[in-house]
Amino acid sequence: EVADKYRLFVMSKEQEYTAFLERKKRASIAAKRQIIQTRLHDEFPYPISHVFSSYQHELDFHRRFQLMLQLSEVAIKYAAIVGLAGYLYEKERDEHLTKFLSGGFRRPSLGDWSNLFTALLKSSAGFQRLLFPADVQEILKTDRDYLDDEGERANLYQLLSATVHLRNSTSGHGALRSLYEYKLLVEKEDSRLYSLLDRLKFLATSNSFLVLASQYDEFGEGDRYKIRIFKGLDISDSDLETLNRLSEGQRDTFVRYIYFQNTSNNTIVNLYPFLSYMFCSACVCEHFFFYNSLKDGNRVAYLSYDCGHTIDIDNAAHFRKRLEASGVVWA
C-alpha cells in the first residue's frame, strides 16, 4: 500500500514537472515571437513589414497560408535586390553571376532569387558593406530553430530551399487543400518562417527611403535631401546630407527611386530598376513594385504585392546601364 502511494506520488510530481516544462517552453516561444514581431513592425523595410502585418492579422487559414508564402517571397527578393545593388555599386565582376544575370534573370523564379541572394552573400564585397556590422557567416551558418531550441537545425541554404519547395508544391489549382490542412501547414511552417526572417534581421538596421526634394549646399559636406523613410509600418519624413548624388526618379512616368542606406557606415545604394515606388493606375495610388520579368520590345514587367497588379514600362535601357557596370550584357 505504501509502495502504491509512493508510486502515485511520483507520477503526479512527474506530470507536474512535465507541465511546468511545457509552460516554460511556450513562454519562451511567445517571448521570442514577440521580439521578432516588434522588429518587423518597427524596423524592417515597409514592403516586408506590411505583408507581415497582413499575415499576422489574417484569420482565414487559406489566405493566411498564401500570405506566409508572399511574406517569404517579398523578404527573399528584397534581400537579393539589396545585395545586387551593392554588387553593382562596387562594379564587381564575377563570372558565375555574370552568366546568371545575362540569362536566368530575364524571368527569375523564386529559386533564382534565392540563389542570387546566397551567391552575393558569399562573394560580393559590395553586399558585405551593406551588411556591416552583420557577419556573413552568422547568416549562412547551421543554427537551431529560432522559436524552438529543440527544433530541427538548418542553415540558410536549407531554409531557402524548403521555402521554395513549399511554394512550388502548394501552388496551382491541383494543390488546393481544405481549411484544416491549411491550418496544419501554417502551424508547421510558422517556425521556419521566423527562422528565415531572423537571418534577414540585418535589413532592420538600415533605412529604406525615397527622395522628395534636393538642395545643393555649397558650405556643407554634400547635397541636402528631404527624404521619406519606409521603416516598419511607419512612414516618416526626414533630412539627409550626403556626398552621394540622389535622384527623385522619373516624374513624367511617376516612378520614384528607392534607396537603401546602411546607417552604420552611410553606404547608400539605389534599388531601382529592380525595386521602385510607382503609380498604379488601377488603384490610383502608389505602391512598391518588384521587378518580375523582361518582355519583348524593351518592356519590363513589375509586380506589386500590395495590390497584386502588374505594370509594364519601357525601361530595359536602364537595366542595361546598371548591369553593364559589372560586365552583364542584355542582348
Side-chain angles (χ1 to χ4, degrees):
E1 183 180 353
V2 172
D4 286 341
K5 288 182 179 179
Y6 182 73
R7 179 175 58 81
L8 292 173
F9 172 78
V10 171
M11 290 177 61
S12 67
K13 292 302 178 183
E14 182 181 15
Q15 292 172 354
E16 289 179 15
Y17 184 64
T18 301
F20 166 76
L21 292 179
E22 185 63 29
R23 288 195 301 272
K24 186 177 180 180
K25 181 179 179 180
R26 288 200 299 267
S28 175
I29 290 175
K32 291 179 180 179
R33 193 187 296 274
Q34 184 60 46
I35 289 172
I36 199 165
Q37 286 177 352
T38 301
R39 185 183 297 148
L40 280 154
H41 278 290
D42 299 341
E43 300 174 352
F44 264 72
Y46 181 80
I48 301 174
S49 59
H50 178 68
V51 180
F52 176 77
S53 179
S54 300
Y55 164 73
Q56 186 183 27
H57 295 101
E58 180 58 56
L59 297 178
D60 179 81
F61 280 102
H62 181 201
R63 175 62 180 159
R64 187 175 173 86
F65 178 71
Q66 298 303 320
L67 287 169
M68 172 185 281
L69 296 179
Q70 188 179 114
L71 175 58
S72 300
E73 187 168 345
V74 169
I76 292 170
K77 286 186 176 181
Y78 192 96
I81 289 172
V82 168
L84 181 57
Y87 177 81
L88 298 174
Y89 177 80
E90 292 291 339
K91 296 184 171 78
E92 298 177 77
R93 299 204 174 199
D94 180 278
E95 182 179 351
H96 170 73
L97 286 171
T98 298
K99 183 178 180 180
F100 167 74
L101 292 171
S102 298
F105 204 61
R106 291 172 174 272
R107 190 177 179 85
S109 64
L110 182 58
D112 291 329
W113 285 105
S114 299
N115 292 335
L116 176 63
F117 173 44
T118 53
L120 290 165
L121 265 179
K122 292 190 298 181
S123 63
S124 173
F127 194 9
Q128 291 180 24
R129 283 188 62 180
L130 295 172
L131 290 172
F132 179 84
D135 183 6
V136 172
Q137 294 307 315
E138 284 292 315
I139 300 173
L140 291 170
K141 74 175 185 179
T142 299
D143 204 354
R144 65 189 64 185
D145 183 280
Y146 174 75
L147 293 180
D148 186 2
D149 292 341
E150 300 174 3
E152 183 180 352
R153 296 172 64 87
N155 57 37
L156 179 63
Y157 303 103
Q158 291 168 323
L159 288 173
L160 292 173
S161 177
T163 301
V164 172
H165 174 73
L166 178 67
R167 181 187 182 279
N168 293 340
S169 63
T170 55
S171 299
H173 179 74
L176 288 177
R177 291 165 168 78
S178 67
L179 285 179
Y180 179 69
E181 288 175 310
Y182 280 119
K183 178 178 182 295
L184 295 179
L185 271 174
V186 168
E187 292 173 349
K188 178 183 176 182
E189 300 296 334
D190 189 58
S191 189
R192 181 179 288 146
L193 172 66
Y194 277 86
S195 296
L196 174 62
L197 293 172
D198 182 60
R199 302 287 181 120
L200 303 181
K201 60 178 177 284
F202 65 86
L203 295 173
T205 62
S206 301
N207 281 337
S208 177
F209 68 88
L210 58 81
V211 175
L212 295 174
S214 60
Q215 179 182 1
Y216 176 69
D217 185 2
E218 59 180 322
F219 301 107
E221 298 181 356
D223 293 347
R224 297 185 64 84
Y225 297 91
K226 187 74 174 179
I227 62 174
R228 177 153 295 170
I229 301 175
F230 298 90
K231 196 172 183 67
L233 294 177
D234 292 329
I235 300 175
S236 59
D237 294 347
S238 182
D239 294 317
L240 173 69
E241 184 174 3
T242 177
L243 293 173
N244 295 60
R245 298 303 304 270
L246 308 180
S247 171
E248 296 179 31
Q250 304 168 26
R251 294 187 179 183
D252 55 331
T253 55
F254 300 100
V255 174
R256 296 180 183 269
Y257 296 165
I258 295 295
Y259 293 91
F260 183 85
Q261 177 192 23
N262 182 331
T263 54
S264 298
N265 55 21
N266 200 35
T267 302
I268 301 175
V269 294
N270 189 359
L271 303 185
Y272 187 80
F274 315 104
L275 175 69
S276 66
Y277 199 61
M278 295 190 288
F279 181 79
C280 177
S281 57
C283 299
V284 198
C285 63
E286 292 177 306
H287 291 299
F288 282 91
F289 279 85
F290 286 78
Y291 165 70
N292 201 40
S293 64
L294 176 67
K295 294 194 168 185
D296 295 333
N298 289 332
R299 305 293 293 180
V300 179
Y302 288 86
L303 170 66
S304 170
Y305 289 92
D306 287 344
C307 60
H309 296 135
T310 58
I311 291 179
D312 291 353
I313 60 176
D314 185 6
N315 70 339
H318 202 122
F319 271 88
R320 293 189 181 97
K321 184 178 179 180
R322 289 293 306 275
L323 292 171
E324 284 174 0
S326 293
V328 179
V329 179
W330 275 10

